[in-house]
Amino acid sequence: MNVMLFHSTYGLRPAVRAAADRLRAAGHEVWTPDLFEGRTFDTVEEGMAFNEEIGKDELLKRAVLAAAPYSERGLVYGGFSLGASIAQTLALGDEKARGLLLLHGTSDIAESASVDELPVQLHVAEPDQFETDDWLSAWYLQMRRAGADVEVYRYAGAGHLYTDPDLPDYDAEAAEATWKVALGFLDSL
């Protein structure tokens, strides 16, 4: 599969590169665009402040420009937290999208969104302060209404960005379980 993998609000950190390497080792072609142009952050607050400074429209523009040269190949869009929300927006707007792999995040869904059984897999902590149960229930129903084929995996007790070993949220067991399921998902596409 051809995978476009977007980083979180922390920026393009070693964990994102390691995830891409893991996917490449399984035979996938992976791109990890740097939407923050080299900036990384130590706290979510710093990253969110920078994200707000850039603005959602500019981030989406950067993401579209990064994906455009490869979209004809039929991309699987994926991302971590903020990157997952960006991936979701791009996948729902790309008729050639082959799948959507969401790690730690989701996004609003336009009322007009429509896909033809797009395979979607979400991995999220339980509970997660950024992805509450009520939000996830509404998100799931909206994605199904849009025509997506959705799978949701919850990881009890894990922190929000539990796949990043350099963050306090890290949960080795949940991270390994996530990658095992995610690799199976990519292999099924």
Side-chain angles (χ1 to χ4, degrees):
M1 276 295 109
N2 296 301
V3 181
M4 184 65 55
L5 191 61
F6 295 103
H7 60 75
S8 75
T9 197
Y10 287 94
L12 185 56
R13 295 167 47 86
V16 178
R17 290 186 182 94
D21 288 345
R22 179 177 251 180
L23 299 179
R24 287 182 189 109
H28 305 288
E29 191 161 357
V30 184
W31 296 274
T32 56
D34 186 349
L35 303 180
F36 287 178
E37 299 174 335
R39 299 280 307 267
T40 59
F41 302 95
D42 294 324
T43 70
V44 70
E45 293 80 14
E46 291 172 334
M48 290 172 84
F50 184 72
N51 177 25
E52 288 176 23
E53 183 181 312
I54 292 174
K56 185 177 182 177
D57 290 343
E58 178 61 23
L59 278 179
L60 282 174
K61 177 183 169 186
R62 292 176 184 185
V64 167
L65 289 172
Y70 311 102
S71 63
E72 284 297 315
R73 300 180 187 196
L75 290 171
V76 174
Y77 291 92
F80 299 87
S81 192
L82 167 69
S85 70
I86 292 168
Q88 177 184 305
T89 300
L90 268 59
L92 292 179
D94 181 354
E95 63 186 30
K96 293 187 185 311
R98 298 282 307 272
L100 177 58
L101 177 60
L102 302 172
L103 303 162
H104 323 293
T106 61
S107 184
D108 294 330
I109 301 164
E111 287 291 324
S112 61
S114 178
V115 292
D116 187 17
E117 296 186 24
L118 178 72
V120 177
Q121 193 173 85
L122 169 65
H123 297 268
V124 66
E126 182 178 28
D128 187 310
Q129 76 260 25
F130 299 107
E131 302 289 326
T132 65
D133 291 345
D134 289 347
W135 168 261
L136 287 173
S137 294
W139 173 87
Y140 177 85
L141 293 172
Q142 289 175 315
M143 285 296 279
R144 295 289 299 152
R145 211 172 302 130
D149 181 13
V150 182
E151 298 176 354
V152 178
Y153 295 86
R154 305 288 308 268
Y155 300 87
H160 174 66
L161 254 166
Y162 64 82
T163 58
D164 188 330
D166 296 324
L167 295 176
D169 287 348
Y170 181 62
D171 183 312
E173 187 176 327
E176 282 307 308
T178 294
W179 290 118
K180 181 178 179 184
V181 174
L183 286 167
F185 173 70
L186 291 174
D187 287 344
S188 74
L189 301 177

